[in-house]
Every structure is written in structure tokens, then in C-alpha cells.
Amino acid sequence: MALTIANRTFRSVVYDERSDVLYLRVPDAEPEALTDATPEGHAITWDEAGRVIGLTIVNARWLLERDGEITLTERTPASALAPALKSA
């Protein structure tokens, strides 16, 4: 199974029913560089280039049943913006 979220396809999809946590991962991704919590309590993992390579969604089923959707507020790591901020 694969899931596409915000133009990123996650081919490793694991749902832990007991803890109601959904783990999504991009296959063959570069090593993790940063994992950060979202304001909603989930986790986003980036590689060194600032690409999202993993998501951990907490209370996935409960949120979908309650709200019909899951909100993920993504923060942009400094490594993704640093090249744009260098002096020309």
C-alpha cells in the first residue's frame, strides 16, 4: 500500500491499531536529519536536503472518525531555506 500526502508518496505504511498510530515512510530515503513535532502532536521527519521522508500520525483513526480529516502543520527546517538566504 502507498499513500500520497502533499505530493509525497509514502510506500512504507504501518498502522499500529492498539496505539492508534500511523507510521509513514519514504522507501530508500536518505538518513534522517531532523524530526520535529507538529502543533497537532504528530511528527514529521526530514532528510538532510529538507525533504519530508516520514510522518508519524498519533490518534489517526480517532481523528478521522471525529473530524473526517487529519491536520498536519509542516514546519520548514532551516537547512531547506539556508541556500535562499545566502548573499548573492
Side-chain angles (χ1 to χ4, degrees):
M1 167 190 280
L3 291 176
T4 300
I5 299 172
N7 298 320
R8 191 71 167 156
T9 300
F10 300 92
R11 297 200 187 284
S12 175
V13 178
V14 177
Y15 176 64
D16 181 340
E17 188 174 355
R18 185 172 183 197
S19 61
D20 194 17
V21 176
L22 179 62
Y23 300 95
L24 306 172
R25 183 103 174 135
V26 172
D28 303 322
E30 297 294 321
E32 297 178 9
L34 174 70
T35 299
D36 195 15
T38 69
E40 299 83 18
H42 310 299
I44 298 176
T45 302
W46 292 273
D47 65 10
E48 289 183 0
R51 295 177 298 241
V52 174
I53 59 170
L55 296 174
T56 302
I57 301 173
V58 181
N59 297 320
R61 183 180 303 257
W62 181 79
L63 287 168
L64 287 172
E65 289 174 353
R66 185 189 75 173
D67 302 335
E69 65 183 14
I70 293 175
T71 300
L72 288 166
T73 304
E74 179 181 346
R75 298 177 183 165
T76 303
S79 62
L81 297 174
L85 302 176
K86 289 183 181 177
S87 297

